[in-house]
Amino acid sequence: MSGDLEQPGPAQEQTSKIRIQFITRDTDHELPAEASAPILVATKFRRYALSTLINTLLDTPTPVPFEFLILGQFLRTSIEDFLTANGISAETTLTVEYVRALIPPLHVASFEHDSWVSAIDVLSGSSPASIWTNNSPGVPSGQEKILSGSDDGLLRIWNMSSEVEAISSVSHNNHITNAKFLSPTRVVSASFDRTIRLWKYESMPDFGPTSTLTPSVELYGHKASVDSIAVHAPSSRLLSASQDHTVGIWSSKKTDAPPAPQSLLPSSSNKRRKLNPNPNSVSQRGSLALMTGHTASVTSVSFAPNDPTVAYSSSLDHTLRTWDLATRTLVDTRTTAHALSCLTPLQDLGLVATGTDARSIILIDPRASATAVSALTLRGHTGTVWALSTDPSSAYGLASGALDSTVRIWDVRAARPGSGGIGAPEVECVYTIERESGRGRKKPVRGDEVKVFGIVWDGEVGVVSAGSDKRVQVNRSPQGVRDS
Amino acid sequence: MQGSQGRKRKLILREAPTIEQNPTEEDEFQSGLLDGILSQSESENDDDDNDESLDDENSEDQLDEEEEDELDSDEIPSEDEGESDSHQPTNGIGARKMAKEKHKSTLETDSATTQELGLDDRTDGSRRFDEGANYIITQDANGNERYIYRSIDPVYDSDDSDAPDNGNTIGNISLSFYDSYPHIGYDINGKKIQRPAKGEALDALLDSIDIPKGWTGLTDPATGKPLELNNEELEVLKKLTRNEVPVDGYDPYPEMIEYFTGKTEIMPLSAAPEPKRRFVPSKHEAKRVMKMVKAIREGRIQPYKAPTDEEQPETKGYDLWADEAPRPDHPMNIPAPKLSPPGYEESYHPPPEYLPDKAERAAWEAQDEEDREREYLPTDHDALRKVPGYDTFVKERFERCLDLYLAPRVRRSKLNIDPEALLPKLPSPDELRPFPTVCSVLFKGHKGGVRSVAIDPSGLFLASGGDDGAVMIWELRSGRQLYTVNIADEPVNVVKWRPSKDTMVLSAAAGEAIYLLAPFSIMSPEVENLSREVLDAGWGYAATSSTNGTSSVQKEPAAKWSRPESKLLDQGVLVKISVRAPVKAIDWHRRGDYFSTVSPKGQSSAVAIHTLSKHLTQLPFRRLKGLAQTAQFHPSKPIFFVATQHTIRSYDLSRQELIKILQPGARWISSFDVHPGGDNLIVGSYDRRLLWHDLDLSTRPYKTLRYHKKAIRAVKYHHGGLPLFADASDDGTVQIFHGKVVEDMMENATIVPLKVLKGHKVTDKSLGVFDVDWHPREPWCVSAGADGTCRLWC
């Protein structure tokens, strides 16, 4: 049939066209009503030509790069090649979704540490910590801070010029698993030593660029390593996920917190404690509640984005559980097929993205009414997915760090039906960010790759990831700052 | 000739009295023309050879008789004499001596007569003997020469069957009539034919040992002797059995002698005149002719008419399938294969794309005629009239017919066995997910190989023991090294966690010492206290119990429980148990109070069971057959398994008796593991085999899996509910199997090989993977390699 079409002379071939219906889920860039009808487009067009076309139709003041999704795939070739590759007739009306292009994030900087870095957070103008503190002046551009917690038990705060602004005055007894900015002046960290610590970060402009990071409160309660924390500054609540199968609720205010359980305080017989310079200078507090329900180590916890009284937690017992923080009860349990290692809620989609030990990311609908547990599967990683972060500028973007030395950027709109029509639709990653430390070296054997333990995707700073190559790596799209 | 001469002499001597009666014989004797006699006597000798024993027995009697009537018996005694002398020198010697003496007496008389005879000869004088002539010239009464011709010697052949001399004369009656007599009949001379000796036992045995030539095994009914056949007789018999004429030279189809011929003889045999009928017309023929005439008149017979050209019958072919109606498909009726209709290529003017180019044409021509895909090349002709005759038309048609004719139009029920179908129905590995597939985390840190790995009961930590004497604890999922202690200078052979969730106690064995560790740096204070309590509970117990009197009986305690040095103590190594021989295997009882150790080299103390709460070590086996390799507790019952090199024995601990001896058939068992259900067992052996035992079925393996190229070091079931097991081999691979055990006793376990996990490097000493352990819940396994790494596979 196609042969018949090719038969006519070259004059017609040049102007081979296809009817395209452009749609978008992006409200900012909806086509005007008069342009929403299907448009005849030459099949030899590529992404750039189509992007120019959309820009013309939208009449944007500055050109906005667009990507085009056809049947869940990004257009990487000409339309004609795409049609032949996918066996689509050129006579049908093609529905093409245009999305704002993700510019491939490029390596900006690497902050070197002495040991593995697991915990990472960013303080910038668009980060939650600065948004929650509305009254403060905010973080001006260029003054962003990066918080890192490494295996030597120390927290470090870096500025954007790769300088350590502050190192925690005391160290955790074991490696730090997670750290977060509570506000531009407060930091919370969780460690393998079963404690959560609140730190006071004071920049002293009088004494130059150096600033201090001093402990304010030590939170005891977990009987095993605290693997993850979540913070919600407005309600001054902390959530923690621990290997002792519990989810802890803590108050970030010293006055609210109950006293620490004596049995969990480090015994005086422990030599390590003796070595600690000032063990009793920091006030010790306990948890508001420890919610039990998980049957295995809880790997990650998060507040629901729209409701700070709801929390999600993921665990190695294959479940994602929803908790009601007001009553401190378990609301719902979603069981998957794999051990879950991390989670991050996708606010606009109402889904929770969870990384699994089976090298995939599953988007779970946490609502009790949802019929299918898994809404989407994101495949591509070759190692356990250890950390997740959402795109600050798009509801559909996701970044994941895994033990295969990569950070991958996903767009959940590029979803195709699952393999063999079974299971949830699958998504392939858009970009893969390799570790800078591994550049130019021989590819390590499976299992020996750099492990990416922490990732934050910030609107200002970009994709910040930390891993077992003892570095914090910052990647940013060239245009970086979005116009919104 | 000597023998014959001697015999001749005797003959002369004995037959002397007969000479007077038969003077010519003497001449013959003297002239030495004894051929005939000798031959005859020989022939008789030949006959007698057959039954020598008979001769011997008879000889005496016959000799006696001979004495009595010498004149009558002219031949037989001489034969007997000669025979017995020449052939049977030993038998009946005494009797023969007597006979000889008797002969001597006759000899004297005989010699007298010969002397007389000699005188006679001399008186004759004129007798001349011409050696060459067949006559003697004497003088007759008239003084003329008289030729006396010698009698012609007929020279009978020895096998002259016309006159069998020794024939039995009793006629055609059964020999059974003579059963009661010592003889079996009478010969031509009326003498009794003695019954042949019915084979003494020795003779029979001798006969059976060397069968004489011509032995048939039959008995001659006429003589009662064993029937022997010579070659000629055999030949005759053969010919008879073949329905041939037994006589040589017999022509079954002789030339026909025509006594009556159609030829007119000059001298006819019959002189009868020609009969009249030869001249009279035949009435019979007239009748027949009239019949024909009548038929012609009636028109029943048409006159012959030469066939014209048009009417000549066409020699047309028979169209076999002209009226072939389509019939339902049936095995016995297969329609002839139809030729496919001609295509473009066969057109005289095919489209250009069908025309072969040069290369195709060359290829076609180079091909063997048989191999060509089609037997023509598409050729282009402008017009139909330019198409030449198809040169191979006849050949092609012929071959087509040949094909149709020769093709066996029988639907053969071919036995279509799909080789795949013969394989046992195994589910595909994809259906059996989850199972470990890729290396997820690599644990690097040990110097030298890692001997043993163990995942703690909570599934969060991994303990490993290596050649460098270090015990390390890692965070399983991230690969973070959490704890390291160098417990010994010797390699740490085995590490095992105590199976309890509220404490964290690790046991490790290096050399002759077993260490119990509580790595408190990774524990919460609560767990730490509990662990310390558990480990320290037994201090003093052993001491007090030993002072209570057992110390006098027991010379040397089986093991010494002590505190390690303070450096280790600070790192959480709380107990050191010294035993007599290097420990290679540790297994904890499920309750966590007992653990067994195996030290293959300690003979009587090879297997020890330690009680943690009492710090007590017991040696359950005084003497163990074979070298103990490893031991394990049953997961639910009080049963203890001990593996020696070749067998696995299970003992009931409560009743203290041997339950079963499993014989995997392996040359050297390296390790085994009991299924969490308790009814199955896998055994790994150094001779590369993995054996699955069903304890309910038999003492022999239910299944043998040979997938490794080198020795299997470790085998392990998944103890967390997943139907998986793994083995680790020196070829650097870990193999994952699906092994589902069903509660149903009737159903056997399903074993499917799932995955070969490659990654560990094989060291120079060709050591690969030492140990493997499963995560308590997840389908993850950890392997310890000789390359100094541990790997988490998930």
Tab-separated table of all heavy atoms in Angstrom, chain A residues 244-247 290-298 313 315 317 319 321-323 328-333:
chain	number	residue	atom	x	y	z
A	244	ASP	N	13.532	-0.625	62.688
A	244	ASP	CA	12.832	-1.402	63.707
A	244	ASP	C	11.352	-1.540	63.370
A	244	ASP	O	10.543	-1.817	64.253
A	244	ASP	CB	13.026	-0.769	65.089
A	244	ASP	CG	12.430	0.623	65.171
A	244	ASP	OD1	11.814	1.068	64.179
A	244	ASP	OD2	12.590	1.293	66.211
A	245	HIS	N	10.985	-1.349	62.093
A	245	HIS	CA	9.638	-1.575	61.549
A	245	HIS	C	8.642	-0.497	61.964
A	245	HIS	O	7.448	-0.679	61.785
A	245	HIS	CB	9.054	-2.933	61.947
A	245	HIS	CG	9.986	-4.084	61.719
A	245	HIS	ND1	9.620	-5.376	61.957
A	245	HIS	CD2	11.246	-4.160	61.243
A	245	HIS	CE1	10.628	-6.185	61.673
A	245	HIS	NE2	11.631	-5.454	61.232
A	246	THR	N	9.112	0.585	62.553
A	246	THR	CA	8.156	1.587	63.001
A	246	THR	C	8.335	2.887	62.223
A	246	THR	O	9.386	3.144	61.628
A	246	THR	CB	8.323	1.911	64.507
A	246	THR	OG1	9.663	2.369	64.701
A	246	THR	CG2	8.063	0.699	65.363
A	247	VAL	N	7.255	3.653	62.252
A	247	VAL	CA	7.289	5.012	61.712
A	247	VAL	C	7.123	5.941	62.920
A	247	VAL	O	6.180	5.785	63.696
A	247	VAL	CB	6.154	5.232	60.703
A	247	VAL	CG1	6.104	6.684	60.248
A	247	VAL	CG2	6.320	4.310	59.508
A	290	LEU	N	5.267	6.128	67.977
A	290	LEU	CA	5.906	5.206	67.038
A	290	LEU	C	4.794	4.316	66.494
A	290	LEU	O	4.143	3.597	67.248
A	290	LEU	CB	6.972	4.362	67.749
A	290	LEU	CG	8.243	5.101	68.160
A	290	LEU	CD1	9.126	4.183	68.977
A	290	LEU	CD2	8.994	5.598	66.940
A	291	MET	N	4.559	4.463	65.247
A	291	MET	CA	3.426	3.742	64.654
A	291	MET	C	3.928	2.410	64.125
A	291	MET	O	4.839	2.341	63.306
A	291	MET	CB	2.809	4.564	63.540
A	291	MET	CG	2.283	5.907	64.038
A	291	MET	SD	1.429	6.799	62.770
A	291	MET	CE	2.770	7.291	61.741
A	292	THR	N	3.290	1.352	64.623
A	292	THR	CA	3.687	0.013	64.177
A	292	THR	C	2.691	-0.510	63.153
A	292	THR	O	1.534	-0.104	63.127
A	292	THR	CB	3.749	-0.958	65.363
A	292	THR	OG1	2.490	-0.908	66.028
A	292	THR	CG2	4.850	-0.588	66.318
A	293	GLY	N	3.115	-1.368	62.388
A	293	GLY	CA	2.271	-1.929	61.327
A	293	GLY	C	3.111	-2.643	60.289
A	293	GLY	O	2.761	-3.724	59.838
A	294	HIS	N	4.197	-2.030	59.991
A	294	HIS	CA	5.075	-2.684	59.020
A	294	HIS	C	5.682	-3.928	59.651
A	294	HIS	O	5.928	-3.982	60.862
A	294	HIS	CB	6.188	-1.715	58.600
A	294	HIS	CG	5.749	-0.747	57.552
A	294	HIS	ND1	5.405	-1.131	56.288
A	294	HIS	CD2	5.609	0.609	57.575
A	294	HIS	CE1	5.068	-0.067	55.580
A	294	HIS	NE2	5.169	1.016	56.344
A	295	THR	N	5.921	-4.880	58.813
A	295	THR	CA	6.498	-6.125	59.301
A	295	THR	C	7.961	-6.256	58.923
A	295	THR	O	8.574	-7.289	59.168
A	295	THR	CB	5.722	-7.323	58.737
A	295	THR	OG1	5.744	-7.226	57.317
A	295	THR	CG2	4.300	-7.329	59.228
A	296	ALA	N	8.472	-5.235	58.305
A	296	ALA	CA	9.903	-5.236	58.015
A	296	ALA	C	10.393	-3.807	58.086
A	296	ALA	O	9.619	-2.879	58.348
A	296	ALA	CB	10.182	-5.832	56.640
A	297	SER	N	11.660	-3.678	57.868
A	297	SER	CA	12.296	-2.381	57.934
A	297	SER	C	11.562	-1.360	57.068
A	297	SER	O	11.241	-1.631	55.914
A	297	SER	CB	13.734	-2.559	57.441
A	297	SER	OG	14.300	-1.323	57.183
A	298	VAL	N	11.274	-0.187	57.679
A	298	VAL	CA	10.631	0.886	56.923
A	298	VAL	C	11.740	1.691	56.261
A	298	VAL	O	12.707	2.093	56.911
A	298	VAL	CB	9.774	1.781	57.839
A	298	VAL	CG1	8.980	2.772	57.012
A	298	VAL	CG2	8.864	0.937	58.683
A	313	SER	N	4.396	5.575	53.931
A	313	SER	CA	5.674	4.954	54.256
A	313	SER	C	5.850	3.712	53.388
A	313	SER	O	4.885	3.020	53.067
A	313	SER	CB	5.728	4.578	55.730
A	313	SER	OG	4.827	3.532	55.979
A	315	SER	N	8.174	0.152	52.769
A	315	SER	CA	8.903	-0.778	53.610
A	315	SER	C	9.409	-1.951	52.793
A	315	SER	O	8.946	-2.207	51.674
A	315	SER	CB	7.990	-1.281	54.724
A	315	SER	OG	8.501	-2.452	55.280
A	317	ASP	N	8.777	-4.815	53.549
A	317	ASP	CA	7.768	-5.870	53.585
A	317	ASP	C	6.823	-5.765	52.384
A	317	ASP	O	5.725	-6.313	52.414
A	317	ASP	CB	6.989	-5.843	54.899
A	317	ASP	CG	6.180	-4.565	55.067
A	317	ASP	OD1	6.211	-3.721	54.160
A	317	ASP	OD2	5.534	-4.393	56.123
A	319	THR	N	5.157	-3.303	51.245
A	319	THR	CA	3.923	-2.528	51.338
A	319	THR	C	4.210	-1.032	51.347
A	319	THR	O	5.273	-0.576	51.765
A	319	THR	CB	3.134	-2.867	52.629
A	319	THR	OG1	3.981	-2.618	53.733
A	319	THR	CG2	2.679	-4.296	52.616
A	321	ARG	N	2.245	2.022	53.057
A	321	ARG	CA	1.155	2.191	54.016
A	321	ARG	C	0.832	3.678	54.167
A	321	ARG	O	1.714	4.529	54.077
A	321	ARG	CB	1.522	1.592	55.365
A	321	ARG	CG	1.644	0.072	55.249
A	321	ARG	CD	1.870	-0.594	56.573
A	321	ARG	NE	2.411	-1.928	56.342
A	321	ARG	CZ	1.818	-3.064	56.733
A	321	ARG	NH1	0.673	-3.017	57.387
A	321	ARG	NH2	2.358	-4.234	56.492
A	322	THR	N	-0.407	3.907	54.362
A	322	THR	CA	-0.890	5.269	54.570
A	322	THR	C	-1.257	5.414	56.048
A	322	THR	O	-1.929	4.542	56.607
A	322	THR	CB	-2.132	5.523	53.697
A	322	THR	OG1	-1.841	5.100	52.378
A	322	THR	CG2	-2.494	6.993	53.690
A	323	TRP	N	-0.771	6.477	56.644
A	323	TRP	CA	-1.002	6.685	58.074
A	323	TRP	C	-1.763	7.969	58.286
A	323	TRP	O	-1.559	8.941	57.574
A	323	TRP	CB	0.333	6.783	58.823
A	323	TRP	CG	1.294	5.668	58.555
A	323	TRP	CD1	2.204	5.608	57.560
A	323	TRP	CD2	1.415	4.453	59.289
A	323	TRP	NE1	2.895	4.438	57.613
A	323	TRP	CE2	2.428	3.698	58.688
A	323	TRP	CE3	0.755	3.924	60.409
A	323	TRP	CZ2	2.810	2.452	59.143
A	323	TRP	CZ3	1.155	2.688	60.871
A	323	TRP	CH2	2.172	1.949	60.242
A	328	ARG	N	-2.843	8.764	64.573
A	328	ARG	CA	-1.660	7.897	64.585
A	328	ARG	C	-2.032	6.433	64.335
A	328	ARG	O	-1.669	5.524	65.072
A	328	ARG	CB	-0.897	8.040	65.909
A	328	ARG	CG	-0.269	9.398	66.007
A	328	ARG	CD	0.046	9.783	67.420
A	328	ARG	NE	0.355	11.224	67.465
A	328	ARG	CZ	0.632	11.882	68.572
A	328	ARG	NH1	0.634	11.263	69.716
A	328	ARG	NH2	0.901	13.162	68.532
A	329	THR	N	-2.840	6.264	63.332
A	329	THR	CA	-3.252	4.904	62.988
A	329	THR	C	-2.936	4.618	61.527
A	329	THR	O	-2.789	5.522	60.711
A	329	THR	CB	-4.772	4.715	63.187
A	329	THR	OG1	-5.435	5.796	62.523
A	329	THR	CG2	-5.133	4.665	64.648
A	330	LEU	N	-2.921	3.353	61.313
A	330	LEU	CA	-2.700	2.878	59.941
A	330	LEU	C	-4.010	2.961	59.177
A	330	LEU	O	-5.046	2.499	59.670
A	330	LEU	CB	-2.210	1.432	59.983
A	330	LEU	CG	-2.054	0.708	58.655
A	330	LEU	CD1	-0.962	1.349	57.822
A	330	LEU	CD2	-1.724	-0.757	58.899
A	331	VAL	N	-3.971	3.590	58.040
A	331	VAL	CA	-5.190	3.778	57.257
A	331	VAL	C	-5.299	2.710	56.189
A	331	VAL	O	-6.326	2.059	56.035
A	331	VAL	CB	-5.221	5.185	56.634
A	331	VAL	CG1	-6.389	5.336	55.693
A	331	VAL	CG2	-5.247	6.229	57.712
A	332	ASP	N	-4.252	2.547	55.455
A	332	ASP	CA	-4.381	1.666	54.287
A	332	ASP	C	-3.028	1.008	54.010
A	332	ASP	O	-1.974	1.562	54.328
A	332	ASP	CB	-4.817	2.478	53.060
A	332	ASP	CG	-5.179	1.585	51.902
A	332	ASP	OD1	-5.728	0.497	52.158
A	332	ASP	OD2	-4.875	1.965	50.757
A	333	THR	N	-3.115	-0.145	53.426
A	333	THR	CA	-1.910	-0.881	53.055
A	333	THR	C	-2.008	-1.288	51.594
A	333	THR	O	-3.007	-1.876	51.178
A	333	THR	CB	-1.757	-2.142	53.925
A	333	THR	OG1	-1.752	-1.750	55.273
A	333	THR	CG2	-0.473	-2.867	53.577
